[in-house]
Amino acid sequence: MEHHTKHIGEVEILSVTTEFNKYIITWENKDNCESGTDSVNKKGEIKNLGTSIC
């Protein structure tokens, strides 16, 4: 959440699933019309898999 929180709005986690030893996190920020998907590995490293803005 902290990784995507900007000055506009608040990030909400929509779902968390596991896949190949990673967490797949789907999130959205309704206030700035942004959403996306990230992966987090066991070391806590975050990789953005995709982001969209309305």
Side-chain angles (χ1 to χ4, degrees):
M1 288 176 59
E2 291 175 10
H3 185 74
H4 291 291
T5 298
K6 309 277 194 249
H7 298 290
I8 300 172
E10 192 172 308
V11 174
E12 179 182 348
I13 303 284
L14 301 177
S15 69
V16 178
T17 59
T18 56
E19 181 179 304
F20 301 110
N21 295 320
K22 295 181 277 187
Y23 292 103
I24 306 299
I25 302 164
T26 304
W27 56 271
E28 76 175 349
N29 182 338
K30 290 181 182 179
D31 293 329
N32 72 353
C33 200
E34 187 177 23
S35 63
T37 304
D38 295 336
S39 69
V40 180
N41 65 19
K42 289 185 177 187
K43 295 179 183 179
E45 299 167 328
I46 300 170
K47 180 178 179 182
N48 184 284
L49 301 177
T51 302
S52 65
I53 300 174
C54 298

